[in-house]
Amino acid sequence: MGIEGVGARVARKEDKRFITGAGRYVDDMVVPGMKHAAFVRSPHAHAQIKKIDVKKAQGMPGVIGVLTGKELKADGIGNLICGWMIHSKDGSPMKMGAWSPLAFDRVRYVGDAVVIVVAETKGQARDAAEAVEITYKELKAVVDASKAMDKGAPQIHPEADNNLIFDWDIGNADDTAAAFGKAAHVVKMDIINNRLVPNAMEPRAALGHYDKAEDHYTCWTTSQNPHVARLVMSAFYNVAPENKLRVIAPDVGGGFGSKIYIYPEEIVCLWASKKTGVPVKWVADRTESFLTDAHGRDHHTHAEMAFDKDHRILGLKVETQANLGAYMSLFSSATPTYLYATLLSGQYNIPAIHANVKAIYTNTAPVDAYRGAGRPEATFVMERMMETAARQFGVSPAELRRKNFVTSFPHQTPVIMCYDAGDYAASLDAAMQASDYAGFAKRKAAAANKGLLRGIGMSCYIEACGIAPSAAVGSLGAGVGLWESAEVRVNAVGTIEVLTGSHSHGQGHETTFAQLVNERFGVPLDSVSIVHGDTDKVQMGMGTYGSRSGAVGMSAIVKALDKVEAKAKKIAAHLLEADEGDIIIENGALKVAGTDKNVPWFQMALAAYTAHNLPGGMEPGLKETAFYDPSNFTFPAGCYICEVEVDPETGVTEIVQFVAADDFGNIINPMIVEGQVHGGLAQGIGQALLEGAHYDNSGQLLTASYMDYTMPRAGDLPSFKVSTSNTPCPGNPLGIKGCGEAGAIGSPPAVINAITDAIGSNDLAMPASPSTVWAAIRATKH
């Protein structure tokens, strides 16, 4: 490891422009003649559109165009789709209702886009939007998935009887029933995973530009995967042929999954640009973000776990209702199925598992993957169950987990996944030691002397990252492959450009990807540029989500580096009159092993392009591409321990200690990994203590601003103790696993387990706000 290579704590290259205000986001983009858009959105959760009158708006100052869904449909723009086909257990396909980018006959949630107004200024567009007159016939709404299938509930889409999208299962029901038949103990729980709003720092935005002279479209957008956006807008939404559509995702201020999807706004802005003849920019305000960004979580689950007399797990039964909102978002069907139920074995050796998932429409914002995407929901079920079981049995939560850990690898679970490597006991031991788990009783007594309730809780999580291989996910219903691409260009002076299909929106790719190159060729980080986010510059790639950029994106880069290295060594061997097998690369030079003969990297690169003295038959230049399709998921895992103090008079909870012990395999940059863990922990603790999206019975979002939706702040969080152990992943050339989502996956159950331990009640829902905790304490006393 060099000072800038793999394993080094290198400061992020990209941070200079961000902390000095020099980042370039969609809202910073200015195109000659650019105008501004505002959307007219439904104020009703469910209603028929009887009439749209745009005459008054059209006559207002600065207005260039007022466009409706009927015009959009007349131009052949397609409906938004879900890109992962799920079949119900009876074999029938999921029931995907129509989602027009602009509603023209019916609206199905508050915030549904109905009209776009294009004007000279943002203020003029908003004023004109308020002047659009829409006559609605309000219909009955339903917001709770558990009620949406009841007799008398409103029918949201004609395609989905009783609002049921699919009724899917996994595992073996007969084997699981047999396991329960032999059980000495059965633990049962009803578990709610609360709905969340993603709240990325940068709101969504789109700038659509149609160039009439070239018959070409350009879309600047806040996307985590610009190539997928171009593919879908071309192939399914009929916006433009793929060769006539350029999608650019510049600097993006956070995504957390919510910017994977193609939303109505980017489609409509591109279409509106052609209709009006001007470039059209739209930037969401924060209330629009609350209303229309894809929400996360929202599961209602009943789980039962069977144990033998020695407290070994025999079987698991899970029934989950997943609220998918008013429409099926791009990957919404995969989140509560193959990203959730396949992880219900947790870190444990469970012989029999059966899970049933019902996905349901409601009159709420669409729900899709949010940081962790199904894995947090699975972990919350498993780790609340394990903690509850330990309390019911009167045994140590740590030792119950240890007794049931998977200890031999590879390990095939009953729910598809084959865990390739891990040492779960090592993470448990590290977390227990760092938290002084053995000394908790003394701290609890000391807190009691101050009138406080002290509790401790743990969570042993596992996740699956780098979803793959493409053939496997295709057989499970995925509409795209999940490989990644890379191109490595060595320029004539030896500087290097890495073009990657991965997209960076906070992960630090410009640093970590450059560290790979430094480790291989010894060139300074400043000589390496990382290019991403532009479909005209970078070959087709699949983007960033699911902690895939390291395991999949970097592996593609490694394959391209392998090819560059092979050609560079051939050139150097020719220049040095040596055998190719004797050439090594050290400190920015190609050397003949065991001698002082060498050629500097830049000189070799120049030779590749002057082509004056190349091996016979070799093409000039030094540029290579690669595609990498993983052979398996990667499986990060770890143990988190949370310690809290609760004021019984107010219900206020303080996290006094939080320990995270993770196994991410090999690590490229420890400092960036720690930052990813810290961010994930903040989001997970936010879910556990503070965050929750709430609708009233009429479908109005009651938490549509920061006045009502509480985000975690510095004062809500402790100083985290983080550490890592390492069982390298055998499935990729770098041995890495992925770290971006772990904190958000493992932390919510650790927090809730700690609070319930403190207050002596197992009945506690997220978010565990002071009023919720106070009520739980009072219920326990009575």
Side-chain angles (χ1 to χ4, degrees), residues 477-498:
V480 294
L482 292 174
W483 44 265
E484 196 46 86
S485 71
E487 180 179 345
V488 176
R489 298 176 182 171
V490 181
N491 298 317
V493 294
T495 57
I496 297 174
E497 298 168 45
V498 177

PDB file of all heavy atoms in Angstrom, residues 477-498:
ATOM      1  N   GLY A 477     -36.898 -11.719 -12.943  1.00  0.00           N
ATOM      2  CA  GLY A 477     -37.805 -10.672 -13.399  1.00  0.00           C
ATOM      3  C   GLY A 477     -37.192  -9.329 -13.702  1.00  0.00           C
ATOM      4  O   GLY A 477     -37.894  -8.413 -14.146  1.00  0.00           O
ATOM      5  N   ALA A 478     -35.883  -9.152 -13.472  1.00  0.00           N
ATOM      6  CA  ALA A 478     -35.257  -7.853 -13.730  1.00  0.00           C
ATOM      7  C   ALA A 478     -35.309  -7.529 -15.215  1.00  0.00           C
ATOM      8  O   ALA A 478     -35.038  -8.380 -16.063  1.00  0.00           O
ATOM      9  CB  ALA A 478     -33.811  -7.852 -13.244  1.00  0.00           C
ATOM     10  N   GLY A 479     -35.612  -6.272 -15.520  1.00  0.00           N
ATOM     11  CA  GLY A 479     -35.722  -5.859 -16.914  1.00  0.00           C
ATOM     12  C   GLY A 479     -34.415  -5.436 -17.536  1.00  0.00           C
ATOM     13  O   GLY A 479     -34.346  -5.189 -18.740  1.00  0.00           O
ATOM     14  N   VAL A 480     -33.349  -5.326 -16.726  1.00  0.00           N
ATOM     15  CA  VAL A 480     -32.039  -4.931 -17.233  1.00  0.00           C
ATOM     16  C   VAL A 480     -30.982  -5.860 -16.651  1.00  0.00           C
ATOM     17  O   VAL A 480     -31.212  -6.548 -15.659  1.00  0.00           O
ATOM     18  CB  VAL A 480     -31.690  -3.465 -16.856  1.00  0.00           C
ATOM     19  CG1 VAL A 480     -32.613  -2.502 -17.555  1.00  0.00           C
ATOM     20  CG2 VAL A 480     -31.743  -3.268 -15.340  1.00  0.00           C
ATOM     21  N   GLY A 481     -29.801  -5.863 -17.260  1.00  0.00           N
ATOM     22  CA  GLY A 481     -28.656  -6.544 -16.678  1.00  0.00           C
ATOM     23  C   GLY A 481     -28.048  -5.686 -15.591  1.00  0.00           C
ATOM     24  O   GLY A 481     -28.236  -4.468 -15.562  1.00  0.00           O
ATOM     25  N   LEU A 482     -27.301  -6.303 -14.696  1.00  0.00           N
ATOM     26  CA  LEU A 482     -26.725  -5.544 -13.578  1.00  0.00           C
ATOM     27  C   LEU A 482     -25.210  -5.703 -13.536  1.00  0.00           C
ATOM     28  O   LEU A 482     -24.596  -5.843 -12.491  1.00  0.00           O
ATOM     29  CB  LEU A 482     -27.389  -5.983 -12.270  1.00  0.00           C
ATOM     30  CG  LEU A 482     -28.869  -5.574 -12.188  1.00  0.00           C
ATOM     31  CD1 LEU A 482     -29.529  -6.139 -10.949  1.00  0.00           C
ATOM     32  CD2 LEU A 482     -29.031  -4.057 -12.222  1.00  0.00           C
ATOM     33  N   TRP A 483     -24.619  -5.670 -14.724  1.00  0.00           N
ATOM     34  CA  TRP A 483     -23.176  -5.611 -14.892  1.00  0.00           C
ATOM     35  C   TRP A 483     -22.699  -4.163 -14.760  1.00  0.00           C
ATOM     36  O   TRP A 483     -23.508  -3.262 -14.524  1.00  0.00           O
ATOM     37  CB  TRP A 483     -22.803  -6.168 -16.275  1.00  0.00           C
ATOM     38  CG  TRP A 483     -23.717  -5.652 -17.352  1.00  0.00           C
ATOM     39  CD1 TRP A 483     -24.828  -6.262 -17.849  1.00  0.00           C
ATOM     40  CD2 TRP A 483     -23.634  -4.388 -18.029  1.00  0.00           C
ATOM     41  NE1 TRP A 483     -25.441  -5.471 -18.798  1.00  0.00           N
ATOM     42  CE2 TRP A 483     -24.723  -4.317 -18.932  1.00  0.00           C
ATOM     43  CE3 TRP A 483     -22.751  -3.314 -17.986  1.00  0.00           C
ATOM     44  CZ2 TRP A 483     -24.945  -3.217 -19.763  1.00  0.00           C
ATOM     45  CZ3 TRP A 483     -22.970  -2.208 -18.807  1.00  0.00           C
ATOM     46  CH2 TRP A 483     -24.054  -2.168 -19.680  1.00  0.00           C
ATOM     47  N   GLU A 484     -21.422  -3.938 -14.965  1.00  0.00           N
ATOM     48  CA  GLU A 484     -20.924  -2.564 -15.045  1.00  0.00           C
ATOM     49  C   GLU A 484     -19.806  -2.488 -16.073  1.00  0.00           C
ATOM     50  O   GLU A 484     -19.199  -3.508 -16.430  1.00  0.00           O
ATOM     51  CB  GLU A 484     -20.431  -2.056 -13.677  1.00  0.00           C
ATOM     52  CG  GLU A 484     -20.258  -0.545 -13.600  1.00  0.00           C
ATOM     53  CD  GLU A 484     -21.456   0.186 -14.188  1.00  0.00           C
ATOM     54  OE1 GLU A 484     -22.435   0.408 -13.460  1.00  0.00           O
ATOM     55  OE2 GLU A 484     -21.415   0.514 -15.399  1.00  0.00           O
ATOM     56  N   SER A 485     -19.558  -1.273 -16.551  1.00  0.00           N
ATOM     57  CA  SER A 485     -18.550  -1.066 -17.592  1.00  0.00           C
ATOM     58  C   SER A 485     -17.506  -0.057 -17.136  1.00  0.00           C
ATOM     59  O   SER A 485     -17.737   0.738 -16.223  1.00  0.00           O
ATOM     60  CB  SER A 485     -19.211  -0.553 -18.877  1.00  0.00           C
ATOM     61  OG  SER A 485     -19.661   0.787 -18.695  1.00  0.00           O
ATOM     62  N   ALA A 486     -16.354  -0.117 -17.795  1.00  0.00           N
ATOM     63  CA  ALA A 486     -15.295   0.853 -17.529  1.00  0.00           C
ATOM     64  C   ALA A 486     -14.436   0.994 -18.774  1.00  0.00           C
ATOM     65  O   ALA A 486     -14.302   0.066 -19.575  1.00  0.00           O
ATOM     66  CB  ALA A 486     -14.426   0.419 -16.353  1.00  0.00           C
ATOM     67  N   GLU A 487     -13.868   2.165 -18.921  1.00  0.00           N
ATOM     68  CA  GLU A 487     -12.885   2.424 -19.975  1.00  0.00           C
ATOM     69  C   GLU A 487     -11.725   3.166 -19.340  1.00  0.00           C
ATOM     70  O   GLU A 487     -11.932   4.123 -18.586  1.00  0.00           O
ATOM     71  CB  GLU A 487     -13.513   3.265 -21.094  1.00  0.00           C
ATOM     72  CG  GLU A 487     -12.562   3.593 -22.233  1.00  0.00           C
ATOM     73  CD  GLU A 487     -13.219   4.409 -23.336  1.00  0.00           C
ATOM     74  OE1 GLU A 487     -14.465   4.473 -23.364  1.00  0.00           O
ATOM     75  OE2 GLU A 487     -12.479   4.984 -24.159  1.00  0.00           O
ATOM     76  N   VAL A 488     -10.522   2.706 -19.613  1.00  0.00           N
ATOM     77  CA  VAL A 488      -9.322   3.359 -19.094  1.00  0.00           C
ATOM     78  C   VAL A 488      -8.531   3.896 -20.274  1.00  0.00           C
ATOM     79  O   VAL A 488      -8.118   3.139 -21.159  1.00  0.00           O
ATOM     80  CB  VAL A 488      -8.455   2.391 -18.262  1.00  0.00           C
ATOM     81  CG1 VAL A 488      -7.160   3.075 -17.827  1.00  0.00           C
ATOM     82  CG2 VAL A 488      -9.228   1.909 -17.039  1.00  0.00           C
ATOM     83  N   ARG A 489      -8.342   5.223 -20.285  1.00  0.00           N
ATOM     84  CA  ARG A 489      -7.581   5.882 -21.353  1.00  0.00           C
ATOM     85  C   ARG A 489      -6.277   6.408 -20.777  1.00  0.00           C
ATOM     86  O   ARG A 489      -6.288   7.257 -19.875  1.00  0.00           O
ATOM     87  CB  ARG A 489      -8.369   7.050 -21.926  1.00  0.00           C
ATOM     88  CG  ARG A 489      -9.687   6.690 -22.573  1.00  0.00           C
ATOM     89  CD  ARG A 489     -10.401   7.968 -23.014  1.00  0.00           C
ATOM     90  NE  ARG A 489     -11.699   7.695 -23.604  1.00  0.00           N
ATOM     91  CZ  ARG A 489     -12.590   8.646 -23.919  1.00  0.00           C
ATOM     92  NH1 ARG A 489     -12.301   9.921 -23.667  1.00  0.00           N
ATOM     93  NH2 ARG A 489     -13.757   8.314 -24.457  1.00  0.00           N
ATOM     94  N   VAL A 490      -5.164   5.919 -21.286  1.00  0.00           N
ATOM     95  CA  VAL A 490      -3.861   6.489 -20.942  1.00  0.00           C
ATOM     96  C   VAL A 490      -3.518   7.481 -22.029  1.00  0.00           C
ATOM     97  O   VAL A 490      -3.423   7.131 -23.211  1.00  0.00           O
ATOM     98  CB  VAL A 490      -2.784   5.394 -20.849  1.00  0.00           C
ATOM     99  CG1 VAL A 490      -1.439   6.019 -20.469  1.00  0.00           C
ATOM    100  CG2 VAL A 490      -3.175   4.335 -19.823  1.00  0.00           C
ATOM    101  N   ASN A 491      -3.360   8.738 -21.648  1.00  0.00           N
ATOM    102  CA  ASN A 491      -3.067   9.780 -22.620  1.00  0.00           C
ATOM    103  C   ASN A 491      -1.588   9.774 -22.980  1.00  0.00           C
ATOM    104  O   ASN A 491      -0.762   9.130 -22.329  1.00  0.00           O
ATOM    105  CB  ASN A 491      -3.485  11.146 -22.067  1.00  0.00           C
ATOM    106  CG  ASN A 491      -4.971  11.211 -21.799  1.00  0.00           C
ATOM    107  OD1 ASN A 491      -5.772  10.743 -22.613  1.00  0.00           O
ATOM    108  ND2 ASN A 491      -5.354  11.776 -20.659  1.00  0.00           N
ATOM    109  N   ALA A 492      -1.234  10.546 -24.008  1.00  0.00           N
ATOM    110  CA  ALA A 492       0.128  10.506 -24.542  1.00  0.00           C
ATOM    111  C   ALA A 492       1.176  10.981 -23.541  1.00  0.00           C
ATOM    112  O   ALA A 492       2.351  10.609 -23.656  1.00  0.00           O
ATOM    113  CB  ALA A 492       0.207  11.331 -25.823  1.00  0.00           C
ATOM    114  N   VAL A 493       0.793  11.776 -22.573  1.00  0.00           N
ATOM    115  CA  VAL A 493       1.758  12.245 -21.570  1.00  0.00           C
ATOM    116  C   VAL A 493       1.677  11.419 -20.294  1.00  0.00           C
ATOM    117  O   VAL A 493       2.293  11.764 -19.284  1.00  0.00           O
ATOM    118  CB  VAL A 493       1.559  13.742 -21.249  1.00  0.00           C
ATOM    119  CG1 VAL A 493       1.892  14.594 -22.468  1.00  0.00           C
ATOM    120  CG2 VAL A 493       0.133  14.015 -20.770  1.00  0.00           C
ATOM    121  N   GLY A 494       0.889  10.358 -20.306  1.00  0.00           N
ATOM    122  CA  GLY A 494       0.847   9.444 -19.170  1.00  0.00           C
ATOM    123  C   GLY A 494      -0.264   9.698 -18.183  1.00  0.00           C
ATOM    124  O   GLY A 494      -0.439   8.902 -17.253  1.00  0.00           O
ATOM    125  N   THR A 495      -1.006  10.800 -18.322  1.00  0.00           N
ATOM    126  CA  THR A 495      -2.169  10.994 -17.458  1.00  0.00           C
ATOM    127  C   THR A 495      -3.241   9.977 -17.850  1.00  0.00           C
ATOM    128  O   THR A 495      -3.223   9.419 -18.950  1.00  0.00           O
ATOM    129  CB  THR A 495      -2.725  12.416 -17.567  1.00  0.00           C
ATOM    130  OG1 THR A 495      -3.058  12.682 -18.936  1.00  0.00           O
ATOM    131  CG2 THR A 495      -1.694  13.431 -17.080  1.00  0.00           C
ATOM    132  N   ILE A 496      -4.164   9.737 -16.945  1.00  0.00           N
ATOM    133  CA  ILE A 496      -5.119   8.651 -17.143  1.00  0.00           C
ATOM    134  C   ILE A 496      -6.533   9.138 -16.900  1.00  0.00           C
ATOM    135  O   ILE A 496      -6.799   9.856 -15.921  1.00  0.00           O
ATOM    136  CB  ILE A 496      -4.797   7.469 -16.203  1.00  0.00           C
ATOM    137  CG1 ILE A 496      -3.412   6.894 -16.544  1.00  0.00           C
ATOM    138  CG2 ILE A 496      -5.862   6.380 -16.290  1.00  0.00           C
ATOM    139  CD1 ILE A 496      -2.935   5.824 -15.590  1.00  0.00           C
ATOM    140  N   GLU A 497      -7.432   8.756 -17.773  1.00  0.00           N
ATOM    141  CA  GLU A 497      -8.855   9.013 -17.592  1.00  0.00           C
ATOM    142  C   GLU A 497      -9.563   7.679 -17.416  1.00  0.00           C
ATOM    143  O   GLU A 497      -9.369   6.759 -18.216  1.00  0.00           O
ATOM    144  CB  GLU A 497      -9.438   9.741 -18.804  1.00  0.00           C
ATOM    145  CG  GLU A 497      -8.835  11.111 -19.068  1.00  0.00           C
ATOM    146  CD  GLU A 497      -9.238  11.648 -20.419  1.00  0.00           C
ATOM    147  OE1 GLU A 497     -10.436  11.554 -20.766  1.00  0.00           O
ATOM    148  OE2 GLU A 497      -8.360  12.129 -21.149  1.00  0.00           O
ATOM    149  N   VAL A 498     -10.377   7.587 -16.368  1.00  0.00           N
ATOM    150  CA  VAL A 498     -11.200   6.406 -16.141  1.00  0.00           C
ATOM    151  C   VAL A 498     -12.645   6.808 -16.376  1.00  0.00           C
ATOM    152  O   VAL A 498     -13.178   7.686 -15.684  1.00  0.00           O
ATOM    153  CB  VAL A 498     -11.025   5.859 -14.711  1.00  0.00           C
ATOM    154  CG1 VAL A 498     -11.956   4.680 -14.477  1.00  0.00           C
ATOM    155  CG2 VAL A 498      -9.578   5.449 -14.467  1.00  0.00           C
TER     156      VAL A 498
END
